[in-house]
Amino acid sequence: MPFTYEQEWYDTNVRQATVHKNVRLSYEILGPLDRSLFEQAVHHFVARHDAVRMEVLPLNERTPTAAQRVRPLGPDERIVHHQDVKAVSAEQFGVYAGAVLTRDFRKPWTTGHRPYTLRLLRYTSEHHAFLATFQNLVFDGRAHHLFAHEIWRDYETLRRREEPPLTAPSFAAAALRQRTAFGPRHLRRAQESWYDRAGFAGLNPWHRPDHAAASADGAVRAELGAAQVAALRQACEREHCTLLQWVVAAFARAVAQCTGRRRLSLWTSMDSRRAAERDVVGMFAGVAPLKVEHATAPLSEVRAEVSGQVLEALRYQQLGGRQMRTMLRELAPDEGWLGRDIHINLRRFEGDHLGTRHDGDLRITPDAYPLRRVTFANASALQLRCDEHRDRLFINLLFDGHRVGRQLAQAILGCLAADLTVACATDVRTPRKSS
């Protein structure tokens, strides 16, 4: 079966051009973990989700374009690698777990191997580390959430001596539907839409405002609590938009307020799953350019423009990786980045935000083992990372010190937070005056 559009984009424009990195999860598990039942829970996930049993086919006369197939599990195939670790302290055990996770995080996908590495490290009978890495080509942010949810659900199901689900929505079927659902006319319209939005990005690159002082690279952060998030969701319901669309609009307006720029090009993450495919594990996360031509308008008008652009991007997301590379070269032959100066990563998590949680006799801490000696470069001038939970909204604004600077980034974040706070307390259908 063919790659999804997002797989093709990632394979063409990211995997072949950057240092290799995978999707990672890690858990510190304290308490009497039943290792056999836990391995069964992970095995159930792999067995029912065909995306993590994919293998990429070599290019030849039979497969001239990127393609993949499902390789079934062997009857005695081991899913989770177990290891007993001798360490002088829990701290040293944690350092070792972080080093192992880092190695797996940077490990390329080689022919004949599964697109995952799953390890259960044992320090004592009541202290374990579970480390999971997946190849990004078959695993996106939504898949990350589904894995974390399902393995603990299935572990509890097995502890009750019940049977976990044996089947799940097929990634292979969803990928095939995606690539066959549209005719030539729609695909031509998708290409025209991409040329329009990406061309706008090329015409409106980021330039550091004269008043912005350079600084070291960094990040500024804000957080909305449960009451604020609940009020903001009510405002979104009244105005028929999503919370994340509202955040993007407020962010665009904040940038405009602090820089005087009326026209902005935003590149955002985009999940192309249909509503009926929300539980499909696989790779459906791509990027899309949005054009905002009136970012200095009242918030309600900017929100309407952003919402329209998001719908446009979702409707016409179908552009293959090779088509995209050709388009980018035509629009910017000497500038492959093509004005991707302002990048937005949006993630939505079901349920409340939890750090360490208690699950029966177990105490489970996610993201317990940081990567070691790994740094991440941010090529954007501004990158907004927004994580939405049922009871919390985390906003993290990364900035390029030379092109933006801490002072300007802090001012943008302040305007963004002010717009969100006012939206929680007022009738949002009445535009407020800019400060």
Side-chain angles (χ1 to χ4, degrees):
M1 60 207 58
F3 278 11
T4 63
Y5 289 109
E6 292 75 22
Q7 281 184 300
E8 187 181 335
W9 179 88
Y10 181 82
D11 187 58
T12 304
N13 295 281
V14 178
R15 192 166 72 101
Q16 298 178 9
T18 62
V19 175
H20 192 82
K21 63 184 180 69
N22 300 319
V23 179
R24 71 187 187 278
L25 301 91
S26 67
Y27 294 93
E28 179 187 62
I29 309 169
L30 302 179
L33 177 72
D34 188 321
R35 298 206 296 174
S36 176
L37 289 186
F38 183 76
E39 181 175 1
Q40 291 179 48
V42 178
H43 189 283
H44 275 286
F45 179 89
V46 174
R48 66 175 173 260
H49 289 289
D50 54 3
V52 292
R53 291 181 280 110
M54 286 289 172
E55 63 178 2
V56 177
L57 300 178
L59 298 179
N60 53 39
E61 293 182 357
R62 292 184 59 188
T63 55
T65 59
Q68 57 196 330
R69 67 182 175 193
V70 182
R71 180 159 62 95
L73 291 174
D76 300 317
E77 185 172 348
R78 196 72 182 264
I79 302 298
V80 180
H81 303 281
H82 292 257
Q83 181 183 356
D84 290 336
V85 178
K86 294 182 179 179
V88 298
S89 66
E91 291 74 17
Q92 188 185 66
F93 173 72
V95 170
Y96 176 77
V100 173
L101 182 66
T102 302
R103 182 187 63 192
D104 292 341
F105 174 73
R106 301 185 64 174
K107 183 180 178 182
W109 190 5
T110 55
T111 303
H113 288 77
R114 294 295 188 186
Y116 55 78
T117 302
L118 306 170
R119 302 183 189 276
L120 186 63
L121 310 184
R122 178 183 180 273
Y123 173 51
T124 69
S125 61
E126 296 198 356
H127 190 165
H128 293 81
F130 178 58
L131 313 175
T133 55
F134 292 89
Q135 294 291 330
N136 212 164
L137 192 65
V138 297
F139 209 80
D140 60 12
R142 176 64 181 170
H144 181 295
H145 169 79
L146 292 169
F147 177 75
H149 168 71
E150 291 185 15
I151 58 170
W152 295 112
R153 179 201 66 191
D154 291 355
Y155 177 73
E156 287 303 312
T157 299
L158 291 166
R159 288 183 64 183
R160 297 194 302 267
R161 301 182 184 277
E162 298 173 3
E163 188 72 18
L166 300 178
T167 61
S170 168
F171 168 69
L176 193 60
R177 281 195 300 270
Q178 186 202 61
R179 298 303 293 248
T180 58
F182 304 100
R185 182 177 179 180
H186 178 93
L187 296 178
R188 283 195 301 270
R189 179 66 185 91
Q191 189 170 22
E192 292 169 358
S193 177
W194 265 90
Y195 265 100
D196 176 50
R197 288 176 282 129
F200 180 88
L203 294 173
N204 294 277
W206 174 268
H207 298 291
R208 178 163 64 93
D210 293 337
H211 67 275
S215 71
D217 295 355
V220 291
R221 298 172 177 84
E223 177 182 334
L224 270 64
Q228 291 174 304
V229 171
L232 186 56
R233 284 207 179 92
Q234 290 178 358
C236 291
E237 290 178 5
R238 290 198 302 268
E239 296 302 313
H240 308 291
C241 71
T242 67
L243 185 146
L244 294 177
Q245 287 175 359
W246 196 300
V247 171
V248 172
F251 174 62
R253 188 165 180 269
V255 173
Q257 285 179 313
C258 295
T259 63
R261 296 172 60 100
R262 181 173 63 86
R263 296 159 64 90
L264 292 174
S265 173
L266 311 176
W267 289 74
T268 184
S269 54
M270 189 72 65
D271 188 337
S272 69
R273 285 174 176 82
R274 300 186 304 177
E277 296 173 341
R278 291 296 295 162
D279 291 338
V280 176
V281 168
M283 178 54 168
F284 292 99
V287 296
L290 311 178
K291 63 177 187 179
V292 182
E293 300 196 69
H294 306 285
T296 55
L299 178 59
S300 59
E301 296 177 18
V302 180
R303 191 196 63 247
E305 185 176 10
V306 166
S307 297
Q309 280 287 297
V310 170
L311 292 175
E312 169 83 4
L314 283 171
R315 185 179 297 115
Y316 298 117
Q317 183 70 356
Q318 303 79 24
L319 194 69
R322 289 181 297 175
Q323 287 179 303
M324 187 180 295
R325 174 172 286 186
T326 300
M327 176 197 68
L328 295 179
R329 286 175 176 170
E330 290 178 4
L331 293 173
D334 299 323
E335 182 59 55
W337 190 241
L338 188 64
R340 273 182 273 184
D341 300 309
I342 306 177
H343 206 116
I344 302 171
N345 292 104
L346 308 173
R347 299 193 302 174
R348 186 175 184 274
F349 297 91
E350 298 168 5
D352 293 342
H353 171 71
L354 295 173
T356 299
R357 66 184 180 90
H358 294 271
D359 195 346
D361 297 331
L362 298 180
R363 184 181 178 210
I364 303 165
T365 303
D367 300 323
Y369 305 104
L371 299 178
R372 302 185 59 80
R373 298 183 177 89
V374 174
T375 58
F376 297 91
N378 178 30
S380 301
L382 285 167
Q383 183 177 12
L384 180 71
R385 296 179 178 176
C386 181
D387 290 348
E388 176 193 355
H389 300 264
R390 185 168 56 191
D391 65 338
R392 206 79 56 85
L393 184 68
F394 294 99
I395 300 171
N396 192 13
L397 182 60
L398 284 67
F399 60 87
D400 181 306
H402 177 70
R403 291 185 288 169
V404 178
R406 178 172 293 275
Q407 183 179 17
L408 177 57
Q410 190 68 61
I412 292 171
L413 183 68
C415 289
L416 169 59
D419 267 340
L420 295 179
T421 302
V422 169
C424 295
T426 63
D427 185 347
V428 296
R429 288 169 291 187
T430 303
R432 68 186 184 91
K433 293 182 179 180
S434 301
S435 58

